[in-house]
Amino acid sequence: MRSTFILLFLCSIWGSTIFGQTEKQLFNRGIDKLKAEDYLGAEEDFAMVLQLNPRNDVAYFNRGFARLQIDKFWDALMDFSLALDINPANPEAYYNRGMAKLGLEMYLEAMIDFNTAIKGQARVERYHHARAKAKSGLEDFRGAIQDLSMCIKLSRTKNLTYFYDSAEAFNAIRTYGLAIEDLPYIIRKMPDAPAGYNARASVKVQANDMDGACLDWSKAGELGDSQAYEMIRKNCNWAKLKLQEAFVIGLQPTKSKSLQGNLPNPMINLE
């Protein structure tokens, strides 16, 4: 799971030491380990910072972030909660605690945290995307679509994930036409990648547009996806499928009584 961490200005005295390291040195070493994606090492360093200063909310936040990256969702949740006890005005802490709750499938509780983060900073697309995930977990796909539309509106780069997730949500409520409308943008942005064509083929199958699905699989196969040709073999060659079906039916034993009456008697009377 990916998210971003913020380096907040820390107003405290860095006087105490552990193993000859001051709080400031341990804190900065933990930051370096976060940047290097050494999350276990960062977790240890911020734990030592907190031994020296249990009121360091940024250390709780950063240890929670490290734990979030290695799927220690419950521990991360507790760290973000402790950070918020000390500094309740940090929308990033609400967002990251919500992400930990998503990992624990606590969708309603996660959404409440995302609501608070959005209230603090309404134009952060990550917050809306996370809330869309929570709503999808609650099977509120229409609500998820609203948040994903906001993500697309706010995104300068038009993150393709938003279009994929929006198409998936439309597909979930069987609004196949709108699901298909989201996917051409992906295809235009990645014309040489089969992913967009495969995604659109999947939606077209749900919409009973097998001709369209087969054409999209054909394009995906043309772009090098061997699995697309497997889908074509299984779903698109109707004449072959009908012949196979007829052959299987022809092999089935007949139980008609009229035919049984015409079978030769195996007992031959020689008298």
Side-chain angles (χ1 to χ4, degrees), residues 180-200:
I180 290 170
E181 285 180 12
D182 275 329
L183 296 168
Y185 181 81
I186 298 171
I187 292 170
R188 288 195 301 272
K189 291 288 286 186
M190 300 191 303
D192 296 325
Y197 291 100
N198 281 325
R200 191 168 66 179

Side-chain angles (χ1 to χ4, degrees), residues 5-196:
F5 65 90
I6 55 176
L7 308 180
L8 303 177
F9 180 72
L10 190 61
C11 298
S12 64
I13 298 173
W14 306 92
S16 304
T17 65
I18 284 184
F19 304 125
Q21 299 286 312
T22 67
E23 180 184 346
K24 182 177 181 179
Q25 289 171 325
L26 290 166
F27 183 90
N28 289 337
R29 190 172 72 182
I31 293 297
D32 290 339
K33 289 180 180 179
L34 280 182
K35 291 177 179 178
E37 299 184 4
D38 176 10
Y39 299 120
L40 285 172
E43 180 186 18
E44 292 175 358
D45 282 342
F46 289 120
M48 286 189 282
V49 170
L50 290 164
Q51 288 181 45
L52 294 171
N53 181 5
R55 297 293 297 171
N56 188 331
D57 62 295
V58 187
Y60 281 118
F61 178 93
N62 286 336
R63 186 175 68 175
F65 178 83
R67 288 172 164 177
L68 191 60
Q69 309 316 304
I70 53 179
D71 295 347
K72 291 185 176 181
F73 298 123
W74 186 255
D75 290 337
L77 187 160
M78 297 302 294
D79 274 341
F80 293 126
S81 295
L82 289 166
L84 286 166
D85 286 342
I86 301 168
N87 177 16
N90 182 0
E92 276 288 313
Y94 286 104
Y95 164 74
N96 281 280
R97 187 172 70 175
M99 295 301 289
K101 290 176 180 178
L102 274 188
L104 294 167
E105 298 184 0
M106 299 166 60
Y107 299 118
L108 182 59
E109 294 84 351
M111 185 170 64
I112 292 170
D113 276 342
F114 298 140
N115 289 343
T116 306
I118 290 168
K119 188 180 295 184
Q121 291 183 331
R123 298 188 64 78
V124 179
E125 61 194 72
R126 288 182 294 111
Y127 297 174
H128 291 278
H129 189 216
R131 189 168 68 178
K133 289 181 178 294
K135 289 179 179 178
S136 292
L138 293 165
E139 299 187 17
D140 175 17
F141 298 109
R142 290 171 177 82
I145 289 165
Q146 286 186 325
D147 274 318
L148 291 164
S149 296
M150 179 60 72
C151 291
I152 293 168
K153 180 179 178 181
L154 293 172
S155 176
R156 293 180 180 179
T157 60
K158 302 302 180 188
N159 189 325
L160 298 184
T161 301
Y162 304 152
F163 290 90
Y164 275 117
D165 289 352
S166 179
E168 186 176 350
F170 277 122
N171 193 50
I173 59 174
R174 300 184 181 183
T175 312
Y176 303 121
L178 293 176
I180 290 170
E181 285 180 12
D182 275 329
L183 296 168
Y185 181 81
I186 298 171
I187 292 170
R188 288 195 301 272
K189 291 288 286 186
M190 300 191 303
D192 296 325

